[in-house]
Amino acid sequence: MSQKIKDATIPSIPTKARISRWFGRNMLRIYMLFGFTYLFIPVAYTFVFSFNDSGKSNLIWKGFTLSNWQNPCGAPEVCNALGNSIKIGFLATLFATILGTMIAFAIGRYKFKGRSGSNLLIFLPMATPEIVLGASLLSLFLVFKINPGFWPTVFAHVTFCISFVVVTVKARIASLDPRLEQAAMDLYANEFETFRRVTLPLVAPGIAGAALLAFSLSFDDFIITNFNSGTLITFPKFVYISAARGIPAQANVIGSAMFFLALAIVIAIQLVNRKKAR
Amino acid sequence: MSNDAISARGDLRLTRITKSYGDFTAVDDLTLTIPKGSFFALLGPSGCGKTTTLRMVAGLEEPTVGSIHLGDTDITTTRPYQRPINTVFQNYALFPHLSIFENIAFGLRRRGIKDVKEQVDKVLNLVELPHLAERKPTQLSGGQQQRIALARAIVNRPALLLLDEPLGALDLKLRRQMQIELKWIQREVGLTFVHVTHDQEEAMTMADTIAVMNEGRIEQMGSPADLYDNPETAFVANFLGQSNLIKARIEGTDGDNLVIDIFGQKISMPKKRSHAVDNSMYAGIRPEKFRISLVGTPTRGNTLTGGHIEDVSYIGVSTQYVVAMPWGQELMVFEQNDDGVAPFDKGDEVVISWEPTFTFGLRGDEDVDAGTEVNPEEPAEE
Ligand SMILES: Nc1ncnc2c1ncn2[C@@H]1O[C@H](COP(=O)(O)OP(=O)(O)O)[C@@H](O)[C@H]1O
Ligand SMILES: [Mg+2]
């Protein structure tokens, strides 16, 4: 009898309804497919054209070669620019992470006059348009008779990276159970030992994340760098300048390599976290 | 001075401790001595100031007024890491980034002890979890974490071990088992344990001495039997077990006894068991101390007549009766089902009797409902 009912009901669902039901069920997947395609087409393009046997201009596919990957410094200036970007990124990350972590602890842990004020001010560089920040930093340097160049660029990068470090580390500190530090003190650890053995190790993942963020912000910054670096060429500046006459395939190699490096780091962190959770 | 605090030993003395948060007084003029080597329970409903008291002893909070001594050493303002006191926290607070071994070794290492292996292994064996040394805290069950938190504290052999509702997060069965185990461990290691709980049964099973706390004050302190047999306040009478509190008046004395009037009927009780301050009193009798007899059968001791059975609940080992008295009060009576006497029925006219020495007397101005509205089985607040 139940067989009869089944037979009777199936054809009664109209095809249109069935299609729309299928869409309803798979909508999220379809959206995701479009989303990722949209996001990854430029990356894929960059990657594919890093194998282009392009000669001078890398706009038209001329044939497959590994020579760009074998010799990434082949194009004039590209590795010099990359080196500058890495140096600036490293120094800016170092200073921004140290200062930002200290500010995060001060704001997150201590009550002092002007705490809420500092809390607000720290967001300012994040909200300020880069073009404004870059230009005002330049005029500041000029007022102090400092010529644009390497160190002013590092300084400028520290100013905008620091906010991101503070926000990231502060979130980690806020999620820390204060009872863990109390337990450490209860177990004969003085203030310094408590910080070193318990607080710092527990906040460390936040600090590491902040440092990665700072480096990637510094590495691909163009606007602020352009104002404050003078004749110094960084990687983003190199790409921008070469865009007019065709970006060399070596730039694609470096771009792709950076992408895969970042991807590898993210995957490694995920794996470590998963192992920890287990 | 604070440097010798770490080697201080002896009784813990809290003298007139008050802790205020703004206008709110969490602990109010509390004086307490905890003898060395005892298993001491601080018992009271949620929010009465137990944790605050422990935190002041541990050094995580400073009293607003008052002093704390360990033996002869004043530790009122000593930093927590300079006190020979360790805590088992309410939520265990194990270090998530360290292995179980390193969690337990933490206190030893901070005191500069290099060779920790033997001591850590010994204490892991004591809590019967030697196989978990290399795990991380998140890989352990609640009961296991609880034992590790205990091990992490006792490995230091502190002068005083503080336990803040250590069994609160465990299920009932595991809790009962751990109660016995904790008591055993305390005897084994011979340390002073201060156990905070809101569970009166837990305090009664484990402690040598119980201090009952209410609204930031100590209501009464004594052995479990003392507190149960001779409570001094309505709060204690109701919070530890159940009590019948009957409005009464002291008529006079008869040798070592008081002559008491209860709505026109005379009873007697030992003078020294009365905590009344004037003629007005509440006479207290525990439900299991009452006997019920049918009108006309012989009785012993104090009697109250004119009651009838209002309700009967048979619960295996005993039967619980509600007896309505002529003055409108309903009394609770527990009768053991061991004498082969047929149970009474609803509506039976009965006489209630009891031994005069089981009576306790409370002040006539007490709030008879104090301590009844709090449910001791309720989970602790965080
Ligand atoms: N840091 C604090 N600030 C304000 N009030 C607090 C603080 N700590 C505890 N209290 C209050 O003090 C009272 C006693 O708290 P607590 O000692 O934790 O109680 P218990 O452990 O007995 O449940 C509670 O009413 C609580 O809200
Ligand atoms: Mg508490």
Side-chain angles (χ1 to χ4, degrees), chain A residues 15 21 25 40 44 73 105 115 126 152 182 202 204 210 239 248:
Chain A
T15 322
R21 204 194 284 171
R25 245 182 269 144
F40 281 107
C73 291
F105 269 104
R115 177 171 171 238
M126 288 164 82
Q182 290 167 5
L202 290 174
V239 173

Side-chain angles (χ1 to χ4, degrees), chain B residues 46-47 49-52 90 164-165 196 380-382:
Chain B
S46 279
K50 305 181 299 291
T51 298
T52 308
Q90 204 160 357
D164 192 356
E165 313 238 4
V196 158
E381 91 298 349
E382 261 301 279

Side-chain angles (χ1 to χ4, degrees), chain A residues 177 179-191 193-194 197-199 201-202 275-278, chain B residues 6 55 60 79-81 83 85-87 89 91 93-97 106-107 110-111 139 152 156 382:
Chain A
D177 185 350
R179 279 171 293 199
L180 293 174
E181 286 164 302
Q182 290 167 5
M185 289 244 213
D186 187 68
L187 292 162
Y188 313 105
N190 59 27
E191 286 83 359
E193 286 281 296
T194 299
R197 306 276 172 190
V198 175
T199 317
L202 290 174
K275 204 174 156 202
K276 263 193 199 151
R278 220 176 341 108
Chain B
I6 200 87
R55 288 172 61 82
L60 299 169
R79 303 294 296 144
Y81 47 84
R83 301 182 186 209
I85 296 172
N86 290 118
T87 308
F89 286 82
N91 67 337
L94 297 176
F95 305 125
H97 60 298
F106 194 92
R110 297 292 84 71
R111 284 183 301 151
Q139 299 169 308
R152 183 176 73 170
N156 301 294
E382 261 301 279

Side-chain angles (χ1 to χ4, degrees), chain B residues 105 107-117 119 155-156:
Chain B
L108 298 173
R109 291 201 199 281
R110 297 292 84 71
R111 284 183 301 151
I113 297 165
K114 291 276 178 315
D115 201 12
V116 297
K117 176 112 178 65
Q119 294 187 60
V155 73
N156 301 294

